[in-house]
């Protein structure tokens, strides 16, 4: 769970999606969902512009193997694989 770039909401992941809620945790909204075959989300880092996220996915907690990074554009609901 991380704060959004403007601090007005929180971002978190569960069940293959990225969600946004207000600072109290209420008002949950799914803002992005990865397709099948993507490893679980391990880190979400908001870009300062508030429209994009750097999302790190990995099949292990240690990130030693199988890690991927994606730039997620929330306004377009699209991602770019940085691998």
């Amino acid at each position: 769970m991380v704060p959004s770039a403007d601090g007005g909401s929180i971002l978190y992941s569960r069940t293959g999606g990225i969600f946004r809620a207000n600072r109290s945790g209420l008002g949950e909204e799914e803002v992005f969902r990865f397709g099948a075959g993507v490893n679980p989300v391990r880190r979400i880092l908001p870009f300062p512009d508030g429209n994009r996220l750097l999302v790190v996915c990995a099949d292990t907690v240690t990130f030693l193997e199988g890690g991927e990074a994606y730039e997620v554009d929330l306004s377009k609901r699209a991602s770019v694989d940085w691998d």
Side-chain angles (χ1 to χ4, degrees):
M1 184 178 327
V2 297
S4 62
D6 66 3
S9 59
I10 55 174
L11 298 160
Y12 54 94
S13 172
R14 68 178 165 85
T15 64
I18 298 174
F19 295 83
R20 177 175 35 216
N22 64 29
R23 292 185 309 177
S24 68
L26 300 174
E28 177 180 88
E29 163 194 20
E30 185 175 88
V31 294
F32 188 78
R33 177 163 292 280
F34 286 103
V38 174
N39 286 315
V41 173
R42 299 294 182 193
R43 298 285 186 269
I44 301 171
L45 304 166
F47 281 83
D49 65 14
N51 292 321
R52 297 175 298 140
L53 306 171
L54 176 60
V55 179
V56 177
C57 301
D59 60 354
T60 63
V61 176
T62 60
F63 301 101
L64 295 176
E65 296 179 17
E68 304 129 1
Y70 297 91
E71 180 181 339
V72 174
D73 187 325
L74 298 176
S75 63
K76 296 178 183 176
R77 293 193 176 240
S79 67
V80 175
D81 187 345
W82 277 18
D83 282 348

